[in-house]
Amino acid sequence: MNRKNLIAIACVFAVMGMTGAAFAAVPLYRMFCAVTGFDGTVMKADKAPDTVLDETVLIRFDTNVRGLPMTFRAEQVSQRVRIGETGIAFFDVTNTSNRPIHATASYNVVPERAGPYFQKLQCFCFEGQVIAPGQTMKFPVQYFVAPEIATDRESRGVREITLSYTFYPTKGAEPAANPAATTGAAA
C-alpha cells in the first residue's frame, strides 16, 4: 500500500470516529451532568435524607416551551422548604393544537453551584410524553435540597434556587403553528 492510500484510510477512520463521538457526546454529557450535578443539572436520588435542618431555601419554578403549540405552567410560583425536607411541585401542560404532541422536558437549576444538592426523587424530565389534542396533563416533581449544601463552602450561602424546565419537540412533533405558542409561560 502506498502512502496516499494510507492517508486516505486514516482520514476515513478519523471522520468515522468523529461522527461516532458527535453522536455519543450528548448522552455522555447528560450522564456526566446527572452524576456530578455539573452545569446546574439536578441529580436523581433513591431516597430522601434522614436529616432535616432548620434552615430554609426558597425554590422558584420556571417553565418554558420551545417550538410546540402548548401551554406549560407550574401550579405554584415558589415553595419554601427546609433543607433536607421533601417537597413536591405540580406542573400543568396543555396541548393547544388539534394534533398529538410528542414532547420531552429537560431541566436545570440556578445557581449552578446548587445543582449537586438539589435532588429529585420523582420527575417527568427526559421521558417522552404524548399529549393528545386539547389534553391537559399534570406532572409532579418530588425533590429535596441535600443537607450537605449547608456545609459546602461554595454553596452554603444559597437561599434561593430556581428549577427551570423546558419542553421541546421530540419524535413525530410538528412545529408550532403560531409563534406566540412557543414562548411558554414563566411561573
Side-chain angles (χ1 to χ4, degrees), residues 68-100:
L68 291 167
M70 65 190 289
T71 60
F72 177 37
R73 70 173 193 84
E75 289 186 358
Q76 56 288 308
V77 174
S78 62
Q79 293 177 343
R80 184 162 297 278
V81 295
R82 292 181 9 196
I83 294 174
E85 174 184 33
T86 300
I88 188 163
F90 292 94
F91 296 82
D92 295 327
V93 176
T94 301
N95 178 347
T96 59
S97 75
N98 59 1
R99 294 191 176 129

mmCIF file of all heavy atoms in Angstrom, residues 68-100:
data_model
loop_
_atom_site.group_PDB
_atom_site.id
_atom_site.type_symbol
_atom_site.label_atom_id
_atom_site.label_comp_id
_atom_site.label_asym_id
_atom_site.label_seq_id
_atom_site.Cartn_x
_atom_site.Cartn_y
_atom_site.Cartn_z
ATOM 1 N N LEU A 68 -43.495 24.311 20.284
ATOM 2 C CA LEU A 68 -44.659 23.443 20.438
ATOM 3 C C LEU A 68 -45.913 24.265 20.706
ATOM 4 O O LEU A 68 -45.857 25.247 21.439
ATOM 5 C CB LEU A 68 -44.463 22.475 21.608
ATOM 6 C CG LEU A 68 -43.412 21.395 21.433
ATOM 7 C CD1 LEU A 68 -43.120 20.725 22.764
ATOM 8 C CD2 LEU A 68 -43.884 20.374 20.418
ATOM 9 N N PRO A 69 -47.060 23.841 20.157
ATOM 10 C CA PRO A 69 -48.321 24.529 20.436
ATOM 11 C C PRO A 69 -48.917 24.027 21.759
ATOM 12 O O PRO A 69 -49.832 23.210 21.781
ATOM 13 C CB PRO A 69 -49.195 24.158 19.236
ATOM 14 C CG PRO A 69 -48.693 22.803 18.833
ATOM 15 C CD PRO A 69 -47.215 22.809 19.130
ATOM 16 N N MET A 70 -48.365 24.486 22.838
ATOM 17 C CA MET A 70 -48.816 24.041 24.150
ATOM 18 C C MET A 70 -48.577 25.113 25.191
ATOM 19 O O MET A 70 -47.773 26.024 24.980
ATOM 20 C CB MET A 70 -48.086 22.749 24.558
ATOM 21 C CG MET A 70 -46.590 22.934 24.746
ATOM 22 S SD MET A 70 -45.652 21.398 24.959
ATOM 23 C CE MET A 70 -46.154 20.891 26.570
ATOM 24 N N THR A 71 -49.286 25.005 26.299
ATOM 25 C CA THR A 71 -49.002 25.856 27.454
ATOM 26 C C THR A 71 -48.409 24.960 28.529
ATOM 27 O O THR A 71 -48.749 23.781 28.639
ATOM 28 C CB THR A 71 -50.269 26.548 27.995
ATOM 29 O OG1 THR A 71 -51.211 25.559 28.391
ATOM 30 C CG2 THR A 71 -50.875 27.480 26.962
ATOM 31 N N PHE A 72 -47.524 25.540 29.313
ATOM 32 C CA PHE A 72 -46.810 24.804 30.347
ATOM 33 C C PHE A 72 -46.632 25.764 31.508
ATOM 34 O O PHE A 72 -46.093 26.846 31.339
ATOM 35 C CB PHE A 72 -45.464 24.338 29.779
ATOM 36 C CG PHE A 72 -44.566 23.622 30.740
ATOM 37 C CD1 PHE A 72 -45.059 22.759 31.710
ATOM 38 C CD2 PHE A 72 -43.195 23.790 30.651
ATOM 39 C CE1 PHE A 72 -44.211 22.086 32.573
ATOM 40 C CE2 PHE A 72 -42.341 23.124 31.501
ATOM 41 C CZ PHE A 72 -42.847 22.270 32.464
ATOM 42 N N ARG A 73 -47.136 25.372 32.682
ATOM 43 C CA ARG A 73 -47.020 26.262 33.828
ATOM 44 C C ARG A 73 -46.870 25.456 35.112
ATOM 45 O O ARG A 73 -47.367 24.331 35.212
ATOM 46 C CB ARG A 73 -48.214 27.210 33.928
ATOM 47 C CG ARG A 73 -49.506 26.548 34.314
ATOM 48 C CD ARG A 73 -50.632 27.547 34.569
ATOM 49 N NE ARG A 73 -51.744 26.892 35.211
ATOM 50 C CZ ARG A 73 -51.858 26.666 36.519
ATOM 51 N NH1 ARG A 73 -50.909 27.070 37.329
ATOM 52 N NH2 ARG A 73 -52.898 26.044 37.021
ATOM 53 N N ALA A 74 -46.220 26.071 36.066
ATOM 54 C CA ALA A 74 -46.135 25.497 37.410
ATOM 55 C C ALA A 74 -47.385 25.914 38.164
ATOM 56 O O ALA A 74 -47.841 27.048 38.030
ATOM 57 C CB ALA A 74 -44.888 26.010 38.121
ATOM 58 N N GLU A 75 -47.948 25.019 38.951
ATOM 59 C CA GLU A 75 -49.135 25.365 39.733
ATOM 60 C C GLU A 75 -48.792 26.319 40.872
ATOM 61 O O GLU A 75 -49.670 26.968 41.411
ATOM 62 C CB GLU A 75 -49.800 24.100 40.286
ATOM 63 C CG GLU A 75 -50.468 23.278 39.209
ATOM 64 C CD GLU A 75 -51.249 22.100 39.760
ATOM 65 O OE1 GLU A 75 -51.259 21.880 40.992
ATOM 66 O OE2 GLU A 75 -51.854 21.386 38.946
ATOM 67 N N GLN A 76 -47.535 26.409 41.208
ATOM 68 C CA GLN A 76 -47.080 27.322 42.256
ATOM 69 C C GLN A 76 -45.862 28.072 41.723
ATOM 70 O O GLN A 76 -45.080 27.520 40.978
ATOM 71 C CB GLN A 76 -46.719 26.567 43.535
ATOM 72 C CG GLN A 76 -45.667 25.472 43.359
ATOM 73 C CD GLN A 76 -46.166 24.231 42.624
ATOM 74 O OE1 GLN A 76 -47.171 23.667 42.998
ATOM 75 N NE2 GLN A 76 -45.486 23.837 41.570
ATOM 76 N N VAL A 77 -45.735 29.323 42.082
ATOM 77 C CA VAL A 77 -44.603 30.123 41.624
ATOM 78 C C VAL A 77 -43.339 29.731 42.394
ATOM 79 O O VAL A 77 -42.255 29.687 41.836
ATOM 80 C CB VAL A 77 -44.897 31.630 41.805
ATOM 81 C CG1 VAL A 77 -43.690 32.467 41.466
ATOM 82 C CG2 VAL A 77 -46.095 32.032 40.952
ATOM 83 N N SER A 78 -43.521 29.442 43.685
ATOM 84 C CA SER A 78 -42.372 29.087 44.514
ATOM 85 C C SER A 78 -42.846 28.288 45.721
ATOM 86 O O SER A 78 -44.034 28.258 46.034
ATOM 87 C CB SER A 78 -41.620 30.342 44.961
ATOM 88 O OG SER A 78 -42.460 31.156 45.757
ATOM 89 N N GLN A 79 -41.877 27.669 46.380
ATOM 90 C CA GLN A 79 -42.129 26.948 47.627
ATOM 91 C C GLN A 79 -40.944 27.188 48.551
ATOM 92 O O GLN A 79 -39.803 27.196 48.099
ATOM 93 C CB GLN A 79 -42.246 25.438 47.405
ATOM 94 C CG GLN A 79 -43.438 25.004 46.627
ATOM 95 C CD GLN A 79 -43.435 23.494 46.379
ATOM 96 O OE1 GLN A 79 -42.436 22.814 46.507
ATOM 97 N NE2 GLN A 79 -44.595 22.980 46.004
ATOM 98 N N ARG A 80 -41.219 27.342 49.822
ATOM 99 C CA ARG A 80 -40.143 27.422 50.803
ATOM 100 C C ARG A 80 -40.080 26.065 51.500
ATOM 101 O O ARG A 80 -41.074 25.591 52.032
ATOM 102 C CB ARG A 80 -40.376 28.533 51.821
ATOM 103 C CG ARG A 80 -39.207 28.676 52.788
ATOM 104 C CD ARG A 80 -39.178 29.996 53.504
ATOM 105 N NE ARG A 80 -39.007 31.142 52.648
ATOM 106 C CZ ARG A 80 -37.834 31.592 52.179
ATOM 107 N NH1 ARG A 80 -36.726 30.937 52.449
ATOM 108 N NH2 ARG A 80 -37.787 32.671 51.441
ATOM 109 N N VAL A 81 -38.906 25.424 51.450
ATOM 110 C CA VAL A 81 -38.726 24.120 52.080
ATOM 111 C C VAL A 81 -37.514 24.169 53.009
ATOM 112 O O VAL A 81 -36.578 24.942 52.781
ATOM 113 C CB VAL A 81 -38.535 22.985 51.048
ATOM 114 C CG1 VAL A 81 -39.781 22.791 50.208
ATOM 115 C CG2 VAL A 81 -37.335 23.240 50.169
ATOM 116 N N ARG A 82 -37.574 23.358 54.032
ATOM 117 C CA ARG A 82 -36.409 23.219 54.900
ATOM 118 C C ARG A 82 -35.387 22.338 54.188
ATOM 119 O O ARG A 82 -35.749 21.423 53.443
ATOM 120 C CB ARG A 82 -36.811 22.599 56.234
ATOM 121 C CG ARG A 82 -37.678 23.557 57.029
ATOM 122 C CD ARG A 82 -38.126 23.087 58.369
ATOM 123 N NE ARG A 82 -37.525 21.857 58.856
ATOM 124 C CZ ARG A 82 -37.999 21.133 59.847
ATOM 125 N NH1 ARG A 82 -39.095 21.513 60.464
ATOM 126 N NH2 ARG A 82 -37.410 20.030 60.231
ATOM 127 N N ILE A 83 -34.127 22.610 54.416
ATOM 128 C CA ILE A 83 -33.067 21.821 53.798
ATOM 129 C C ILE A 83 -33.180 20.389 54.321
ATOM 130 O O ILE A 83 -33.221 20.161 55.524
ATOM 131 C CB ILE A 83 -31.688 22.441 54.098
ATOM 132 C CG1 ILE A 83 -31.586 23.813 53.415
ATOM 133 C CG2 ILE A 83 -30.568 21.512 53.640
ATOM 134 C CD1 ILE A 83 -30.338 24.591 53.738
ATOM 135 N N GLY A 84 -33.267 19.424 53.409
ATOM 136 C CA GLY A 84 -33.425 18.020 53.746
ATOM 137 C C GLY A 84 -34.867 17.545 53.692
ATOM 138 O O GLY A 84 -35.137 16.349 53.640
ATOM 139 N N GLU A 85 -35.821 18.477 53.690
ATOM 140 C CA GLU A 85 -37.237 18.147 53.652
ATOM 141 C C GLU A 85 -37.661 17.834 52.210
ATOM 142 O O GLU A 85 -37.210 18.480 51.273
ATOM 143 C CB GLU A 85 -38.039 19.342 54.170
ATOM 144 C CG GLU A 85 -39.529 19.224 54.075
ATOM 145 C CD GLU A 85 -40.234 20.512 54.516
ATOM 146 O OE1 GLU A 85 -39.695 21.615 54.307
ATOM 147 O OE2 GLU A 85 -41.325 20.385 55.068
ATOM 148 N N THR A 86 -38.548 16.871 52.041
ATOM 149 C CA THR A 86 -39.039 16.529 50.710
ATOM 150 C C THR A 86 -40.162 17.489 50.323
ATOM 151 O O THR A 86 -41.091 17.702 51.084
ATOM 152 C CB THR A 86 -39.568 15.079 50.676
ATOM 153 O OG1 THR A 86 -38.493 14.203 51.027
ATOM 154 C CG2 THR A 86 -40.082 14.713 49.300
ATOM 155 N N GLY A 87 -40.033 18.059 49.135
ATOM 156 C CA GLY A 87 -41.064 18.934 48.588
ATOM 157 C C GLY A 87 -41.672 18.294 47.349
ATOM 158 O O GLY A 87 -41.073 17.416 46.734
ATOM 159 N N ILE A 88 -42.865 18.730 47.003
ATOM 160 C CA ILE A 88 -43.487 18.255 45.768
ATOM 161 C C ILE A 88 -44.125 19.460 45.064
ATOM 162 O O ILE A 88 -44.744 20.308 45.708
ATOM 163 C CB ILE A 88 -44.526 17.135 46.026
ATOM 164 C CG1 ILE A 88 -44.990 16.543 44.699
ATOM 165 C CG2 ILE A 88 -45.680 17.616 46.872
ATOM 166 C CD1 ILE A 88 -45.669 15.205 44.823
ATOM 167 N N ALA A 89 -43.895 19.531 43.762
ATOM 168 C CA ALA A 89 -44.448 20.611 42.950
ATOM 169 C C ALA A 89 -45.194 19.974 41.778
ATOM 170 O O ALA A 89 -44.818 18.892 41.314
ATOM 171 C CB ALA A 89 -43.338 21.521 42.443
ATOM 172 N N PHE A 90 -46.232 20.660 41.312
ATOM 173 C CA PHE A 90 -47.027 20.146 40.192
ATOM 174 C C PHE A 90 -46.969 21.118 39.025
ATOM 175 O O PHE A 90 -46.989 22.338 39.212
ATOM 176 C CB PHE A 90 -48.480 19.925 40.620
ATOM 177 C CG PHE A 90 -48.628 18.808 41.607
ATOM 178 C CD1 PHE A 90 -48.632 19.067 42.964
ATOM 179 C CD2 PHE A 90 -48.736 17.496 41.178
ATOM 180 C CE1 PHE A 90 -48.753 18.041 43.888
ATOM 181 C CE2 PHE A 90 -48.857 16.460 42.083
ATOM 182 C CZ PHE A 90 -48.864 16.730 43.444
ATOM 183 N N PHE A 91 -46.917 20.548 37.830
ATOM 184 C CA PHE A 91 -46.844 21.312 36.593
ATOM 185 C C PHE A 91 -47.963 20.862 35.668
ATOM 186 O O PHE A 91 -48.255 19.672 35.573
ATOM 187 C CB PHE A 91 -45.487 21.089 35.912
ATOM 188 C CG PHE A 91 -44.335 21.594 36.725
ATOM 189 C CD1 PHE A 91 -43.806 20.824 37.754
ATOM 190 C CD2 PHE A 91 -43.788 22.837 36.472
ATOM 191 C CE1 PHE A 91 -42.744 21.293 38.523
ATOM 192 C CE2 PHE A 91 -42.729 23.310 37.237
ATOM 193 C CZ PHE A 91 -42.208 22.531 38.260
ATOM 194 N N ASP A 92 -48.607 21.827 34.990
ATOM 195 C CA ASP A 92 -49.689 21.540 34.046
ATOM 196 C C ASP A 92 -49.215 21.816 32.628
ATOM 197 O O ASP A 92 -48.615 22.867 32.361
ATOM 198 C CB ASP A 92 -50.906 22.423 34.335
ATOM 199 C CG ASP A 92 -51.521 22.125 35.682
ATOM 200 O OD1 ASP A 92 -51.490 20.958 36.113
ATOM 201 O OD2 ASP A 92 -52.028 23.073 36.312
ATOM 202 N N VAL A 93 -49.515 20.879 31.732
ATOM 203 C CA VAL A 93 -49.188 21.007 30.316
ATOM 204 C C VAL A 93 -50.476 20.811 29.531
ATOM 205 O O VAL A 93 -51.195 19.836 29.756
ATOM 206 C CB VAL A 93 -48.160 19.939 29.883
ATOM 207 C CG1 VAL A 93 -47.888 20.011 28.399
ATOM 208 C CG2 VAL A 93 -46.871 20.089 30.662
ATOM 209 N N THR A 94 -50.781 21.746 28.624
ATOM 210 C CA THR A 94 -51.980 21.635 27.794
ATOM 211 C C THR A 94 -51.587 21.727 26.325
ATOM 212 O O THR A 94 -50.906 22.666 25.907
ATOM 213 C CB THR A 94 -52.987 22.763 28.124
ATOM 214 O OG1 THR A 94 -53.342 22.679 29.494
ATOM 215 C CG2 THR A 94 -54.246 22.639 27.266
ATOM 216 N N ASN A 95 -52.040 20.745 25.558
ATOM 217 C CA ASN A 95 -51.856 20.748 24.107
ATOM 218 C C ASN A 95 -52.924 21.665 23.522
ATOM 219 O O ASN A 95 -54.115 21.378 23.621
ATOM 220 C CB ASN A 95 -51.990 19.323 23.565
ATOM 221 C CG ASN A 95 -51.852 19.257 22.053
ATOM 222 O OD1 ASN A 95 -51.886 20.259 21.356
ATOM 223 N ND2 ASN A 95 -51.711 18.035 21.556
ATOM 224 N N THR A 96 -52.522 22.773 22.921
ATOM 225 C CA THR A 96 -53.471 23.745 22.368
ATOM 226 C C THR A 96 -53.724 23.524 20.879
ATOM 227 O O THR A 96 -54.388 24.343 20.243
ATOM 228 C CB THR A 96 -52.965 25.189 22.601
ATOM 229 O OG1 THR A 96 -51.688 25.329 21.975
ATOM 230 C CG2 THR A 96 -52.871 25.493 24.089
ATOM 231 N N SER A 97 -53.210 22.424 20.335
ATOM 232 C CA SER A 97 -53.389 22.152 18.904
ATOM 233 C C SER A 97 -54.452 21.073 18.697
ATOM 234 O O SER A 97 -55.009 20.540 19.654
ATOM 235 C CB SER A 97 -52.059 21.689 18.287
ATOM 236 O OG SER A 97 -51.783 20.352 18.659
ATOM 237 N N ASN A 98 -54.692 20.745 17.425
ATOM 238 C CA ASN A 98 -55.643 19.680 17.106
ATOM 239 C C ASN A 98 -54.925 18.395 16.702
ATOM 240 O O ASN A 98 -55.507 17.528 16.081
ATOM 241 C CB ASN A 98 -56.612 20.138 16.008
ATOM 242 C CG ASN A 98 -55.883 20.521 14.733
ATOM 243 O OD1 ASN A 98 -54.656 20.430 14.650
ATOM 244 N ND2 ASN A 98 -56.634 20.955 13.735
ATOM 245 N N ARG A 99 -53.646 18.280 17.061
ATOM 246 C CA ARG A 99 -52.833 17.085 16.783
ATOM 247 C C ARG A 99 -52.117 16.647 18.055
ATOM 248 O O ARG A 99 -51.816 17.467 18.918
ATOM 249 C CB ARG A 99 -51.775 17.400 15.730
ATOM 250 C CG ARG A 99 -52.352 17.708 14.389
ATOM 251 C CD ARG A 99 -51.248 17.733 13.350
ATOM 252 N NE ARG A 99 -51.844 17.934 12.051
ATOM 253 C CZ ARG A 99 -51.458 18.842 11.191
ATOM 254 N NH1 ARG A 99 -50.450 19.627 11.481
ATOM 255 N NH2 ARG A 99 -52.047 18.950 10.028
ATOM 256 N N PRO A 100 -51.786 15.365 18.145
ATOM 257 C CA PRO A 100 -50.996 14.916 19.300
ATOM 258 C C PRO A 100 -49.616 15.577 19.280
ATOM 259 O O PRO A 100 -49.064 15.840 18.216
ATOM 260 C CB PRO A 100 -50.860 13.405 19.098
ATOM 261 C CG PRO A 100 -51.858 13.025 18.066
ATOM 262 C CD PRO A 100 -52.151 14.265 17.259
#
